[in-house]
Amino acid sequence: MKLPVDDATLASWAALLGLTDEQTAATLEEIEKTLRRGYEYRPDELHDATFDQLISDMDVDEAALMFLITGLRQAGHADAAYDIEVRGIVATLNSLQHTG
């Protein structure tokens, strides 16, 4: 699986979080597992799309948020990861309220 960013960006994100190469690899593996789980439960209208097709449509900001949350967990900062995850959910809900 390839996130919609180049290797230099991934390396920068990992460096900002202070991740080792092993933690970075584990972060990317966890992101892929999460996305594949979601792929299994995708809506019917997306049933003909392959996993790679759907990932190629991923927004860079979504990838960054997933890397941040998962990377923080890998680095031993589960509380910070949880706080960011909750804020992301609240922001999404607020956005949906304003568009609906």
Side-chain angles (χ1 to χ4, degrees), residues 23 27 32 44 52 57 59 69 71 74 81 98:
Q23 288 173 317
T27 296
E32 182 172 359
D44 288 338
D52 289 334
D57 288 340
D59 184 82
I69 291 167
Q74 282 294 322
H98 289 95

Side-chain angles (χ1 to χ4, degrees), residues 69 72-73 76-87:
I69 291 167
L72 283 169
R73 284 194 187 105
H77 302 289
D79 289 342
Y82 177 80
D83 289 344
I84 291 169
E85 199 166 26
V86 168
R87 288 176 189 213

Side-chain angles (χ1 to χ4, degrees), residues 3 7 14 16 18 22 29 31 35 42 44-45 52 58-59 63 65-67 70 73 76 80 82 85 87-88 98:
L3 290 177
D7 291 339
L16 284 170
E22 293 80 18
E29 287 174 23
I31 290 170
L35 293 172
R42 68 194 178 281
D44 288 338
E45 58 268 11
D52 289 334
M58 178 186 257
D59 184 82
L65 185 59
M66 289 188 81
F67 192 90
T70 308
R73 284 194 187 105
Y82 177 80
E85 199 166 26
R87 288 176 189 213
H98 289 95

Side-chain angles (χ1 to χ4, degrees), residues 31-46:
I31 290 170
E32 182 172 359
K33 280 187 209 173
T34 299
L35 293 172
R36 286 194 182 276
R37 230 175 290 131
Y39 177 75
E40 292 299 317
Y41 298 101
R42 68 194 178 281
D44 288 338
E45 58 268 11
L46 298 176

